[in-house]
Amino acid sequence: MTQARKWISFLILSMTGGIVFQVGYIRYVFLEDTYNALNLSAQDYGNIISVYGIAATIGYFIGGWFADKFSPKMLVAFAMIGTGIIDILIAMAPGYAAILILHVVMAFLGMGLYWSALVKLIGMLGDSHEQGRLFGYLEGVRGVVSTIVGFAGAWIVATAASSVVGVLWLIRIYGVCAILLGLAVWLIVKEDPNSPAVQARSTVTLHQLVLAAKNPYTWLIGFSIACIYAGYTCLGYFSPLLQHQFGLSAAFIGVIGVVRTYVFQFVAGPISGVVADKGAKSTPRFLRWMFIATIIILGVFLVMPRNESFMWIAVALMFLLTFAIFACRGVYWALPGEMEIPEDERGGVIGLASGIAYLPDAFLPSLAAWWIGDPAASPAIPEHGGGYVTMFIFLIVLALIGIGLTTVMMRRRTRELALVPSEAGN
């Protein structure tokens, strides 16, 4: 493969990562506009997203099997084209049951077929000395593409006849882009059947999962990340809070949603990596700092009056909370390596810990929708935001649990390291 073909293939594959999940996670930017556009209630949409989360988690576990059995290139192309078709069908607002089924299929395509196959395709573009650079560039390009399409989407929604019309057109455009990228993968990307990335197995075996279940770090890592991911899952619900209770105009909501969802993706990650390594000198310690920051920020939200006078303070606090969450996302998968989990067990630990870590996506959207109800209606407790109080307290409790889990992780690791010299002496 020529260098030009290699980097063109890499660019196309990276761009797919910025498009494939746009509709599945559109709520992070256009929550209220999306469920209104699809003729759904907030609770119905929350239920659909929870089912999507369950299907995505299952897809993660079976994705490795598909990547081992079939051509990664064809899987990525099929998943992109299929996702594009589903996006277009969703934009027809076919009703609750149909949208639910379409989201389940979309989750299967994204996590069951696309993700593991993409990892293999990226891996085969370079030798063992280029893997870190390739996957680092992948995240960077994904972040840039997501940001560009996010701002373009905010402009489309803001300039449309209504936000409802704008969101439907945006979903259609995402669908067309996914189809075009799928065709580009099929026609341009070339896979090397002799690449070590193709020969390596992606499937997590039952034996690996059993070993992982016996490893205490699996549960400490999994539930620590779950406490973080719950905050990420709830970030989309800050848009209606800012709009309806702090008076932020609808025109700014889309822009703020893009900044919160995509800009912080490639800004907070690199910073957190440096701070965790050079400042905290420990990923669990860094996560504990972020949990403490989260508690402070949410505590201010709890006591702060909800009116326009505090609008920009609320926006600043939301951005600080977003930074803390994305900073954690940038480093938390360094935990298995930092805890020196053996290579032959690491796949099982990451697989099982991932299933635990992303559990909030399976229930929290539905639960948060139930807490908050219709954010445009008068809240149960106007001066405190009604169901938002419950959500903030829930996240504070999870942050406290996260502090406990990371503390246990640090102490366990300290004891293990303390035993190394004595064992060497014997």
Side-chain angles (χ1 to χ4, degrees):
M1 186 187 304
T2 66
Q3 286 295 307
R5 182 75 172 266
K6 167 184 171 177
W7 290 110
I8 290 173
S9 297
F10 175 81
L11 181 61
I12 292 171
L13 292 171
S14 298
M15 289 175 67
T16 66
I19 293 292
V20 67
F21 299 117
Q22 286 291 337
V23 175
Y25 293 97
I26 195 172
R27 70 186 186 277
Y28 287 112
V29 182
F30 304 108
L31 173 65
E32 192 173 352
D33 294 329
T34 299
Y35 65 70
N36 286 332
L38 298 178
N39 296 320
L40 299 170
S41 68
Q43 186 64 64
D44 285 343
Y45 188 57
N47 294 341
I48 287 171
I49 295 304
S50 288
V51 173
Y52 175 85
I54 295 170
T57 301
I58 295 172
Y60 176 86
F61 281 104
I62 65 176
W65 182 87
F66 282 98
D68 289 340
K69 295 294 183 182
F70 302 99
S71 159
K73 167 184 168 178
M74 299 313 298
L75 286 176
V76 170
F78 179 81
M80 290 301 299
I81 294 171
T83 298
I85 294 171
I86 287 174
D87 291 348
I88 293 170
L89 292 175
I90 288 174
M92 296 178 181
Y96 176 80
I99 294 173
L100 176 64
I101 294 170
L102 289 170
H103 273 76
V104 170
V105 178
M106 182 166 57
F108 170 75
L109 290 173
M111 297 306 294
L113 299 187
Y114 170 83
W115 185 248
S116 294
L118 176 72
V119 170
K120 281 208 166 188
L121 275 176
I122 294 293
M124 74 174 64
L125 292 176
D127 58 28
S128 60
H129 302 294
E130 296 180 278
Q131 296 302 302
R133 181 173 54 169
L134 284 170
F135 282 98
Y137 288 167
L138 170 66
E139 281 303 301
V141 175
R142 285 180 66 204
V144 170
V145 171
S146 296
T147 302
I148 292 172
V149 299
F151 278 121
W155 178 81
I156 290 170
V157 174
T159 57
S162 69
S163 61
V164 167
V165 172
V167 166
L168 292 178
W169 271 110
L170 181 59
I171 293 174
R172 295 185 189 106
I173 291 170
Y174 286 150
V176 171
C177 289
I179 291 171
L180 292 176
L181 284 171
L183 292 173
V185 170
W186 181 38
L187 296 172
I188 298 173
V189 174
K190 185 177 180 180
E191 60 186 6
D192 179 5
N194 297 316
S195 168
V198 175
Q199 304 303 322
R201 291 184 59 81
S202 302
T203 308
V204 177
T205 65
L206 180 60
H207 176 66
Q208 287 177 310
L209 291 176
V210 171
L211 289 177
K214 295 178 180 179
N215 190 326
Y217 282 124
T218 301
W219 306 98
L220 291 171
I221 292 171
F223 282 108
S224 294
I225 296 176
C227 292
I228 298 162
Y229 199 77
Y232 175 70
T233 301
C234 288
L235 280 178
Y237 293 91
F238 279 78
S239 292
L241 171 70
L242 295 173
Q243 181 177 356
H244 297 297
Q245 297 185 27
F246 286 99
L248 193 70
S249 69
F252 278 105
I253 290 297
V255 174
I256 284 178
V258 172
V259 173
R260 180 186 61 215
T261 306
Y262 301 124
V263 173
F264 279 92
Q265 181 181 11
F266 62 84
V267 171
I271 294 174
S272 66
V274 173
V275 175
D277 287 345
K278 304 296 185 181
K281 302 186 186 302
S282 163
T283 300
R285 182 178 291 112
F286 177 78
L287 295 180
R288 189 168 63 176
W289 290 354
M290 294 301 100
F291 280 127
I292 293 171
T294 297
I295 291 171
I296 294 171
I297 294 166
L298 292 173
V300 176
F301 264 118
L302 276 174
V303 301
M304 185 171 60
R306 307 212 188 284
N307 57 60
E308 292 187 14
S309 301
F310 291 86
M311 177 176 62
W312 294 113
I313 295 176
V315 171
L317 287 171
M318 186 269 296
F319 280 149
L320 287 173
L321 178 64
T322 302
F323 182 87
I325 291 170
F326 273 93
C328 292
R329 281 169 58 88
V331 299
Y332 55 42
W333 283 120
L335 289 170
E338 190 170 320
M339 299 301 109
E340 294 188 341
I341 294 170
E343 287 289 343
D344 59 339
E345 296 181 26
R346 198 167 296 180
V349 169
I350 292 175
L352 184 54
S354 296
I356 298 168
Y358 301 131
L359 276 177
D361 254 355
F363 69 89
L364 199 48
S366 181
L367 188 59
W370 178 65
W371 284 335
I372 296 165
D374 181 1
S378 298
I381 310 173
E383 67 272 20
H384 292 302
Y388 280 103
V389 171
T390 306
M391 188 177 81
F392 293 154
I393 292 174
F394 174 78
L395 294 177
I396 288 172
V397 170
L398 288 184
L400 290 170
I401 294 172
I403 290 173
L405 291 169
T406 50
T407 300
V408 171
M409 204 183 312
M410 290 168 58
R411 291 179 178 175
R412 182 180 181 85
R413 184 60 183 154
T414 300
R415 288 196 301 268
E416 289 176 349
L417 293 174
L419 292 175
V420 173
S422 61
E423 289 177 356
N426 292 333

